[in-house]
Amino acid sequence: SQKIEQNSEALNIQEGKTATLTCNYTNYSPAYLQWYRQDPGRGPVFLLLIRENEKEKRKERLKVTFDTTLKQSLFHITASQPADSATYLCASRRDSSYKLIFGSGTRLLVRP
Amino acid sequence: GAVVSQHPSWVICKSGTSVKIECRSLDFQATTMFWYRQFPKQSLMLMATSNEGSKATYEQGVEKDKFLINHASLTLSTLTVTSAHPEDSSFYICSATRGLAGNNEQFFGPGTRLTVL
C-alpha cells in the first residue's frame, strides 16, 4: 500500500542552523508532495508544494527538494528560529484520487 | 483568503451522548470538505469526503452510522459523533478545497478536541 514515512524522532537544533527534515514514500509515484506545519492543538497549515518535475522549490527561508530516484523529499529551514518549532507534515495525493495521505510528522525544536 | 473555521474548538461529553462539530469555509465556497481524525503523535487519517448536496464517502473502517456527516451548503459541513465512547476521543480536523476537489491545496480548520468521559 502507498506509504509516506517521516522520521518520528524529534529534531533538536540550535537557532541559526539549518533544519533538514526527510519524507520518504513507497509503493507509488506521487505527482507532487506537500509540506505542512502543525502547531500543538491546531490544524495543519500549508507551506509548500513541489511537483515531480521540479527539483527544488523555495519560499523565503524554506526550501523543498523532490528526488524521484530516491523517492524522497527534503524540507529545509535555513537560519532557523525558535518560532519555527512545530511538527512538520509531509503529504501527497493518494493514488489517482484527490485524497491526501500524510506522514506522521517530524517535530522540530529550535533552541535559542 | 481561504479560511476554515471549526466549532467548537474543544468539547467534553459523557459516554453515550452525541456531539456535533461544525466546519465552515469563511471566505470561499467549498465544494468538497474532508474530515480527518488525529490521535496523539500520529498522522492525520482521512475519515470521509463530503460533497455539498450529496452523501459523504467514508473511508474503509469508518462507521457511517456513527460518524454522521452533513454538507448542507457550500460553506458548512457538520460531523456528528453519535453515541460517543472514550475511544472516540481524538482531535478532529476538517479541510476544504476551493473549487473542484482535484485542486491540490486543502485548507485546514483549527481542529476540535473531543474528550469522551
Side-chain angles (χ1 to χ4, degrees), chain A residues 11 13-21 37 47-48 56-65 74-85 88 108 110:
Chain A
L11 179 62
I13 64 169
Q14 185 72 42
E15 180 177 9
K17 300 291 185 183
T18 296
T20 298
L21 308 177
R37 169 181 173 144
L47 296 175
L48 280 170
E56 179 181 297
K57 202 155 200 182
R58 292 175 185 262
K59 179 182 176 182
E60 299 174 351
R61 293 185 296 112
L62 309 180
K63 184 179 84 171
V64 174
T65 62
L74 298 179
F75 176 81
H76 307 272
I77 305 176
T78 58
S80 60
Q81 305 165 1
D84 295 326
S85 299
Y88 291 86
L108 172 66
V110 182

Side-chain angles (χ1 to χ4, degrees), chain A residues 32 34 36 38 41-44 46 49 51 89 93-94 98-100 102-104, chain B residues 34 36 38 42-44 46 49 59 91 93 101-102 104-106 108-111:
Chain A
Y32 61 80
Q34 301 180 352
Y36 290 81
Q38 186 176 26
R42 307 293 293 173
F46 174 79
L49 179 151
R51 301 182 188 280
L89 304 169
R93 181 180 286 188
R94 194 174 81 187
Y98 45 78
K99 301 174 184 178
L100 291 179
F102 284 84
S104 56
Chain B
F34 303 87
Y36 295 83
Q38 186 178 33
Q42 292 189 26
S43 177
L44 278 75
L46 181 65
T49 304
E59 295 300 302
F91 193 50
I93 307 171
N104 295 328
E105 187 173 350
Q106 291 183 20
F108 286 83

Side-chain angles (χ1 to χ4, degrees), chain B residues 65-79:
Chain B
D65 294 330
K66 181 168 184 62
F67 299 99
L68 301 178
I69 292 172
N70 186 311
H71 195 152
S73 74
L74 285 172
T75 59
L76 173 65
S77 176
T78 60
L79 168 68

